[in-house]
């Protein structure tokens, strides 16, 4: 398949090893003092390694490459952790996928509905979310800038309730989420997409990524964008 993947210019590489440390998937190793992409299927194409490179030796390219094998990457991580004396048979708790069930509110609790969590799955970070998960089947997808939940007081009740939630910040993460979101939309039965962003300009990156993902998915799915002001109001 043709997809986005990193390319390392060995002539520019100074051997600092920062990219290998930043690569959560372990796709980059140091060989003879230079960074090298060892396996195409271990590179998720999100580019955590790019911002760490001081010489600009790492770039994105579009080429034929094996599909990203998330399962194999997780198994490799577990093997490495066991070798180092750690034992997490279910993988890192922060990225372990699971559905969350909440008890129904009754009596006095119902008057405080906005205080009840409506989060229905884990993880929520776009970078950590699996491309395929049972909870995506028939989901109403919420793609939100991570600041929105802090700015808008009733975020759970107004936005998270009834949705599968993915959050991120392209400015802080320094990555383009469009390909990851496209794979989620294309490979699952997503019923709708709601994009919630802040009014600040940097949040435009999240909106652009979600719109690009929708366009490139080849599907026609209802979508909307909601903008939150920095003082906690819905602007549109």
């Amino acid at each position: 398949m043709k997809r986005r993947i990193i390319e390392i210019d060995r002539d520019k590489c100074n051997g600092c090893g920062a990219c290998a440390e930043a690569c959560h998937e372990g796709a980059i190793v140091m060989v003879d003092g230079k960074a090298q992409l060892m396996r195409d299927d271990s590179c998720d194409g999100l580019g955590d390694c790019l911002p760490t490179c001081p010489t600009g030796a790492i770039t994105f390219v579009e080429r034929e490459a094996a599909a990203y094998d998330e399962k194999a990457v997780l198994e490799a991580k577990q093997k490495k952790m066991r070798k180092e004396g750690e034992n997490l048979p279910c993988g890192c708790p922060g990225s372990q996928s699971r559905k969350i069930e909440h008890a129904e509110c009754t009596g006095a609790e119902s008057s405080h509905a906005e205080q009840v969590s409506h989060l229905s799955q884990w993880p929520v970070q776009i970078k950590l979310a699996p491309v395929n998960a049972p909870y995506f089947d028939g989901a109403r997808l919420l793609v939100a800038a991570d600041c929105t939940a802090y700015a808008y007081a009733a975020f759970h009740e107004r936005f998270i309730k009834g949705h599968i939630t993915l959050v991120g910040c392209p400015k802080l993460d320094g990555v383009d989420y469009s390909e990851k979101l496209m794979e989620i939309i294309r490979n699952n039965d997503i019923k709708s997409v709601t994009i919630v962003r802040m009014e600040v300009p940097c949040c435009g990156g999240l909106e652009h990524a979600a719109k690009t993902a929708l366009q490139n998915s080849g599907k026609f799915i209802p979508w909307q964008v909601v903008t939150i002001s920095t003082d906690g109001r819905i602007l549109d």
Side-chain angles (χ1 to χ4, degrees), residues 19-219:
C19 58
E21 292 184 11
C23 180
H24 301 298
E25 289 71 32
I28 301 176
V29 298
M30 302 304 294
V31 178
D32 297 329
K34 297 284 187 176
Q36 182 174 321
L37 176 63
M38 292 300 292
R39 293 173 57 102
D40 286 357
D41 60 358
S42 294
C43 177
D44 60 8
L46 295 178
D48 290 342
C49 53
L50 265 72
T52 67
C53 181
T55 64
I58 306 175
T59 55
F60 278 128
V61 294
E62 289 276 347
R63 65 171 175 81
E64 290 293 328
Y68 173 58
D69 191 340
E70 185 175 25
K71 182 179 179 181
V73 168
L74 181 57
E75 290 175 350
K77 287 182 181 178
Q78 294 172 354
K79 183 178 180 180
K80 180 181 179 182
M81 292 171 74
R82 287 193 294 268
K83 185 177 180 181
E84 294 174 351
E86 301 179 41
N87 186 20
L88 287 176
C90 296
C92 172
S95 60
Q96 184 179 354
S97 177
R98 66 187 181 97
K99 186 176 181 180
I100 300 172
E101 300 285 351
H102 295 283
E104 292 293 329
C105 292
T106 58
E109 291 180 347
S110 62
S111 64
H112 301 286
E114 290 185 359
Q115 298 179 21
V116 176
S117 173
H118 292 289
L119 188 66
S120 61
Q121 102 290 340
W122 188 266
V124 296
Q125 287 290 336
I126 297 172
K127 291 173 63 177
L128 297 179
V131 170
N132 293 290
Y135 48 71
F136 282 130
D137 185 32
R140 297 163 61 202
L141 187 64
L142 170 66
V143 181
D146 50 15
C147 292
T148 54
Y150 293 95
Y152 188 71
F155 194 82
H156 273 249
E157 185 70 20
R158 174 65 174 79
F159 295 111
I160 293 181
K161 186 177 182 179
H163 290 79
I164 294 299
T165 304
L166 296 176
V167 303
C169 177
K171 183 174 183 178
L172 296 181
D173 285 343
V175 298
D176 180 3
Y177 298 125
S178 59
E179 185 164 339
K180 180 72 173 285
L181 292 173
M182 179 195 68
E183 291 294 331
I184 290 173
I185 294 169
R186 186 169 62 186
N187 292 307
N188 298 280
D189 181 24
I190 303 297
K191 297 301 185 184
S192 67
V193 177
T194 299
I195 305 158
V196 183
R197 55 164 293 181
M198 296 297 296
E199 64 176 327
V200 295
C202 56
C203 259
L206 184 70
E207 180 180 346
H208 175 73
K211 288 181 177 179
T212 300
L214 283 162
Q215 293 169 356
N216 294 343
S217 70
K219 294 184 176 182

